[in-house]
Amino acid sequence: MIAISNITKSYGTGGNKNQVLKGISLQIADRDFIVILGASGSGKSTFLNVISGLERPDSGSVVYGTSDITKLTDEKLTRFRRDNIGFIFQQYYLLPNMTVEKNVRMGADLTGNREYREMINAVGLEDKTGKYPGELSGGEQQRVSVARALAKKPKVLFLDEPTGALDERTGRQVLDYICRLHKEYSFTIVMVTHNQNIAEMANTVVKMNSGNIAEVYTNERRKTAYEIGW
Amino acid sequence: MIIGMKDTAKLVGISVIAGCAVFVCTLFLNYNIDIAAIKGEITTEAGMAMYQAQVSTGKVTASVSGGCLVLTSVVMLLFYVKNYIDTHSKELGILKALGYSGLKIAKHFWVFGLSVFVGCIFGYVSAFFYLPSFYDLQNAEQLFPEIKAQLHPLLAFFLIGVPAIGFSILAVIYACLRLRHPVLDLLKEKRGYKIKVNRGVTKDRPFLKDLAGSTLRERKTLVFFVAFSAFCFSAMVQMSMSMEKLSSKTMAVMIIVIGLILAFMTLFLSLSSVVKGNTKTIAMMRVFGYKYSDCSRAVLGGYRPFSYVGFVIGTLYQYVLLKIMVGIVFADIDNMPEYSFDFKKCAVTFVLFILTYEIVMYSYAQRIKRLPLKSVMLE
Ligand SMILES: Nc1ncnc2c1ncn2[C@@H]1O[C@H](COP(=O)(O)OP(=O)(O)OP(=O)(O)O)[C@@H](O)[C@H]1O
Ligand SMILES: [Mg+2]
């Protein structure tokens, strides 16, 4: 379980000070699928970065099981990310000079996973392993980044607008791969989006409004990627 | 204006090297011209022998160091142009997509020649101020009548105007060639990654090894620069140590200063661009949980063997050069000390080299450590 309490974070100083997170608390159960919704600028990405250990909050704690990651040294935090966390971003951030296989391997090598090809097959890219990111479509690139993130067998997968740069059909396909892999490998998903419809796929929905949590609810029935509107 | 003054300011490395080249060439060539004018007044036999020796030394020194330095600045200039196009490929791609021709964009690259111009002027002027003492030094034994340093406009033109114009034209031509890529390749920042032989035959190598390999392969110019930097360090430092005995203290200081400037300039240039070129990769690796040390080893570690190769070549080079110079140039002069390879100096230089190299590498590893994750991702 991830227990987040009283997270605050601001940027700038003095008159320019901009409080982005205003004391957020939240509990995330293991193997949950949670979506964070909110308008642009409401602090979703910042919140995600803080709970995934990419950024440090000004105050508050983020406790995984029994360890508070806000108290870890940089080195320990790196090791924590290595052992526990996977990331998927809107802009993919694949390594442009490496083939699909090597990009996935970047994730797999971290935890010594030798079966990374399995993950490439799982996202349907078995015939593209030798291609470079520049030779792939946006959807294919995002599937590579899904494979890369899951090849290290993370306990929690963080996604920041994973379909933000994709069209409807491709977006659904990527989400479908993610859901299927979620069932198979049972990790926790924390996904940021501003697409209301995608929230219907989640178990828990968190609505953010200018640095605060406005509402948290659970879906009775989760829809599949192909059932939701867009 | 596509290329701002800020971009040209980054070419200070070229300015410094061009300045060094012009400094050395001005000293020796100006001297050669002035001494030729008083050749008729030399009466003694010893004076004539000294005259011959100095004229040849001047020619050799000017062409070896000048040529070496010019070659370096050419490679550096091309590297900067390529680097500029690579890092701005999106903007340039957009310009091309809007209908600007490659030549029209490339024309702006002439400003890169300014760096050479500035460097040459600086080198020439400082050489001119140094000329009187240099003349005294050359004529320390009073074998010649008094020589006055004179300004030779033609020499100035060849040492300032020609390089500046030449380098500007070179930059434009090279930019034109690099910009011939299709618009889409520029926009997608595709840079010929495809030209790899072992495509499809996927070797089972760990990611970090592969990254180290591809970092090297992708920037071959930098491999050359790192080796060259070690070459300069080894050749110039050892040569300078021998020079003190063979020639004079001033020569020794001049050589070591030029050598160190060259070595550090090229090393800093290559390492900064390695780190900058891999910022995104390093940031992503950090996000995924790779250790700092793994990142810096993969990105910087591959250059070490090449620096050793450069060191060895530099050692051989300076040995052969000095042997030839002592053998030919000073053949007719009495009590010229015998020159032979000095293992102790070589060992000292090697230790100094390793220390310097590792310190510089360490500082760049620290720089990698400080790369902010978020600013990379916000781009
Ligand atoms: N590094 C930073 N420095 C200064 N301000 C920042 C920084 N990062 C984010 N902000 C500010 O924090 C606020 C929240 O940003 P955040 O990226 O978390 O929003 P978001 O909800 O993810 O928006 P979007 O949906 O557009 O991605 C914004 O006003 C932004 O300008
Ligand atoms: Mg965001």
Side-chain angles (χ1 to χ4, degrees), chain B residues 92-113:
Chain B
L92 297 173
I94 289 169
L95 284 177
K96 266 192 98 172
L98 288 175
Y100 283 87
S101 72
L103 184 64
K104 216 168 188 168
I105 303 172
K107 266 196 289 193
H108 292 272
F109 281 85
W110 76 267
V111 285
F112 279 25

Side-chain angles (χ1 to χ4, degrees), chain A residues 40-41 43-46 90 160-161 192:
Chain A
S40 185
K44 305 182 296 290
S45 298
T46 309
Q90 178 176 344
D160 196 346
E161 308 258 10
V192 160

Side-chain angles (χ1 to χ4, degrees), chain A residues 9-12 18-21 37-49 55 90 160-161 192-194 208, chain B residues 374-375 378:
Chain A
K9 173 93 191 167
S10 39
Y11 292 110
N18 174 11
Q19 180 145 28
V20 180
L21 301 178
L37 269 178
S40 185
S42 56
K44 305 182 296 290
S45 298
T46 309
F47 184 49
L48 195 80
N49 292 341
E55 266 189 288
Q90 178 176 344
D160 196 346
E161 308 258 10
V192 160
T193 177
H194 53 227
M208 279 186 67
Chain B
K374 189 142 188 212
S375 66
L378 280 179

